[in-house]
Amino acid sequence: MIAPFTYQNTISQKFPSRSKSSSGLSQVFAAAVVNQQFCKMLLQDPSIAIQKGYLGQTFSLSKEEQDLITSIRANSLSDLAKQVNHSLLSNY
């Protein structure tokens, strides 16, 4: 019987970290994706949406992240995401 040959190549890669970007932004977008009412509020009045949070949970956003979200005027969630992403990429 021939034993199966198993080859494991472990490659260590380091990817650039976006440590300045919090999981709070991910939480905001996740809430907007799963809840149409929150999404609508986020697009119409982002400061109120962030202040109220989602399902009783607040978002842990830095002052800069809050300012970024509230300064953008978007017609759709994808437009908001594109603008946030563009702003974050230009700052790194």
Side-chain angles (χ1 to χ4, degrees):
M1 180 168 148
I2 299 175
F5 179 75
T6 304
Y7 177 75
Q8 293 181 346
N9 185 8
T10 306
I11 298 174
S12 175
Q13 293 182 356
K14 291 187 179 182
F15 295 98
S17 171
R18 290 190 182 180
S19 59
K20 292 182 181 181
S21 174
S22 77
S23 64
L25 284 174
S26 297
Q27 293 170 341
V28 170
F29 282 102
V33 166
V34 300
N35 187 285
Q36 189 175 18
Q37 183 178 358
F38 178 79
C39 182
K40 186 175 179 179
M41 185 187 320
L42 183 64
L43 295 172
Q44 291 178 350
D45 195 344
S47 60
I48 295 295
I50 290 170
Q51 180 184 356
K52 286 188 173 185
Y54 179 67
L55 294 178
Q57 299 295 316
T58 58
F59 304 109
S60 48
L61 298 171
S62 68
K63 174 77 169 121
E64 292 81 14
E65 290 168 332
Q66 289 179 28
D67 291 345
L68 174 61
I69 293 286
T70 58
S71 69
I72 295 174
R73 296 295 169 244
N75 294 321
S76 67
L77 186 59
S78 64
D79 185 32
L80 178 63
K82 286 177 192 175
Q83 291 185 53
V84 167
N85 188 49
H86 177 73
S87 180
L88 291 174
L89 288 176
S90 66
N91 288 330
Y92 289 108

